[in-house]
Amino acid sequence: VQPVLLYLAEAHAADTWPLSASATKAHTGTVDRLRAARALLETFPEVEAFFGDHVYADTMTNGMATDLGLWPERYVLTTAGEVTWTSSLAFEHRWDDVCGSVLAAAVPGVAIQGS
């Protein structure tokens, strides 16, 4: 199992839906979005260590976010380029969904409690 991070549009940008006075402005281009992804990794080195070189940014048309229904936050498993599982939209259950599904994908035949 190879985890991949896809950086999407800024959800709480200062000029769209700010949640704090320090919010950044919405990305105006791919360079802005890539810069924001890099800042995330610099702020949270454990995230960079987890994903390694598998960090990407969506295009400015937000094609991946739209096609896979990724906004505001979703987890997706793919096999051979096909989506095989997506997390629920219920925020409080997403991480439980992810852990069990990743384990099941990594270790075929393993029984996941609650699934």
Side-chain angles (χ1 to χ4, degrees):
V1 174
Q2 175 60 60
V4 172
L5 172 69
L6 177 64
Y7 196 93
L8 307 176
E10 188 64 44
H12 299 286
D15 49 347
T16 56
W17 189 17
L19 290 183
S20 74
S22 63
T24 61
K25 290 189 174 185
H27 309 137
T28 59
T30 306
V31 171
D32 278 352
R33 190 163 286 173
L34 291 169
R35 193 175 296 127
R38 173 57 40 205
L40 171 76
L41 299 176
E42 289 171 359
T43 302
F44 300 99
E46 64 276 14
V47 172
E48 183 171 24
F50 182 74
F51 290 105
D53 292 335
H54 302 281
V55 177
Y56 306 93
D58 203 356
T59 64
M60 295 311 295
T61 61
N62 302 310
M64 292 295 287
T66 301
D67 291 349
L68 297 174
L70 299 177
W71 195 92
E73 180 180 315
R74 296 288 297 272
Y75 303 96
V76 178
L77 294 180
T78 63
T79 303
E82 296 291 322
V83 174
T84 57
W85 174 86
T86 58
S87 64
S88 69
L89 289 173
F91 184 77
E92 62 277 4
H93 299 296
R94 284 188 197 153
W95 193 241
D96 293 337
D97 289 351
V98 172
C99 292
S101 296
V102 168
L103 181 58
V107 186
V110 69
I112 305 300
Q113 182 177 355
S115 61

